[in-house]
Amino acid sequence: MTRAGRPRESPRRTAPDDAGPAAPALPAAAPALTAASPALPATPVPASAALMPSAAAPFETADLTALDQLATMVAVADADGRCRFANAALEDRTGVARRALQRGRVSELLTEPRALADTLRAVGAAEVACSRFDAVLQRAPAFGPGHTELPVHVIVSQTDWPGCVMVEMIEIEQQTRADREERAIGQAQAGKELLRNLAHEIKNPLGGIRGAAQLLEMELGDRALAEYTRVIVHEADRLHALVDRLLAPQRRAQVVGDVNIHEICERVRALVLAEFPRGLRIVRDYDVSIPEFRGDREQLIQAVLNVVRNATQALAEPGAPPHGGRLARGDAEIVLRTRIARQLTVGRQRYRLALELHVQDNGPGVPEAIRERIFVPLVSGREGGSGLGLTLAQTFVQQHLGTIECDSAPGRTVFRILIPLP
């Protein structure tokens, strides 16, 4: 990683007086290349450059709404660092309202503001045309402990507006997260195929075993021996029900209608509190502006219920304080938080808006041994657990083109459900 205090810079060069006729002016859509020379290594153009409007008009009258379509964070600042514009992605990643961002300085968004402040002055004074370095973006405390800092790659470039500089920030983890999501989708698909084949192989002999046990019971005259055949029938029925649960997501067609995520959360909250009436508090933190979307209401209720019930069961597990046995002590807490995510990429597909649902608990956390495999079928960290609840939740969310992630540490586990919005 490049040190924040030593940004890489592209020197500004001017043509000699005897260079001949002047070359045609570069279009205003590529301000980062105005100082480039063919003799120098090519500097990648920031993604924001292609969407910049013409600088013929003053900055105050420029239409910058196109920059809201970018997944990367973009700000326009003056040479002193005062923020003149912030796009939707920057507002979303920092958790700070756009108006508040535009009242402050861009350099204050970083944990080490001096590097960006010095770079803004250098680019604004035309000492360099473009500079880039790695830094850490500060986020709002609402993101929770361990999530208030975001590693970013910063690109500072000139614009054609006098006194204005463009700052673009790209998440360093963005590509890693996209690869992880794509790998999770592939693993889920492979797991479903495996379960489907395995289920059919199990069901065929189960029918024969159950039928043979029933016939044997009819032939036995001893009631004590008949008890053994009833055990065989009971276990065969249990395995048959388990197989049906494995096949359920593939069998049932989606019933699509208008869905309100808060109605789903309230339904789940009522069901869980009825099951655990004491020692559990479920906090609601809703963004009521989230619109309805098209989806399968029953599937989404089951997905959220599985995640919340998984959190509740973790809170009920006995263990040493402070994180173990919270339900018995009466300080167990689950938070249902809804937000709008903007310019989000899910499975290599970019969406303008997405629903973001966080299910957060203060339990002991997911055991590290299974943390990377919690969505794999039949994997469970709880004694007697089936290992199917989170697998079904992932399947139902993926059927809505979304994704589900988990971030866990002792005292704070967050399941993050993302579903694209129209």
Side-chain angles (χ1 to χ4, degrees), residues 16 42 85 114 159 164 211 231 251 255 259 265 272 316 324 354 356 372 374:
F85 170 82
R114 179 178 293 275
T159 72
C164 288
V231 170
R251 282 180 170 174
V255 180
V259 175
C265 290
V272 173
E356 188 171 5
E372 299 297 324
I374 56 172

Side-chain angles (χ1 to χ4, degrees), residues 9 32 42 93 102 164 169 189 211 215 222 231 238 297 347 353 408:
E9 300 176 346
R93 301 299 192 279
Q102 293 175 176
C164 288
M169 303 182 195
Q189 186 62 35
L215 291 173
D222 190 339
V231 170
R238 185 181 64 81
R297 184 173 181 271
L353 294 175
S408 182

Side-chain angles (χ1 to χ4, degrees), residues 1-10 110 112-119 122 128 130-135 153-154 156:
M1 178 180 290
T2 305
R3 293 179 61 85
R6 299 182 60 186
R8 297 194 295 272
E9 300 176 346
S10 302
L110 303 183
E112 297 182 12
R114 179 178 293 275
L116 181 55
D118 292 344
T119 303
V128 294
C130 180
S131 181
R132 53 179 65 218
F133 58 94
D134 291 339
H153 183 68
V154 183
V156 183

Side-chain angles (χ1 to χ4, degrees), residues 308-358:
V308 174
R309 186 168 284 158
N310 180 80
T312 308
Q313 290 167 347
L315 291 166
E317 287 287 316
H323 308 307
R326 284 192 179 275
L327 195 64
R329 295 200 307 273
D331 61 351
E333 180 179 280
I334 295 176
V335 180
L336 299 178
R337 180 180 299 112
T338 60
R339 293 291 185 269
I340 286 286
R342 295 179 174 84
Q343 304 303 332
L344 195 74
T345 301
V346 178
R348 303 289 182 181
Q349 179 70 36
R350 188 163 65 91
Y351 297 96
R352 187 175 63 88
L353 294 175
L355 160 69
E356 188 171 5
L357 170 61
H358 288 192

Side-chain angles (χ1 to χ4, degrees), residues 310 313-314 316-318 367 370 378-387:
N310 180 80
Q313 290 167 347
E317 287 287 316
I370 65 169
L378 307 180
V379 172
S380 176
R382 183 171 54 89
E383 185 69 26
S386 66

Side-chain angles (χ1 to χ4, degrees), residues 385-422:
S386 66
L388 294 177
L390 294 179
T391 302
L392 293 176
Q394 183 188 54
T395 299
F396 290 143
V397 170
Q398 288 179 349
Q399 288 179 358
H400 288 79
L401 305 181
T403 184
I404 179 171
E405 305 169 346
C406 176
D407 183 25
S408 182
R412 183 180 184 274
T413 297
V414 181
F415 282 87
R416 180 173 178 244
I417 298 174
L418 294 168
I419 297 177
L421 294 175

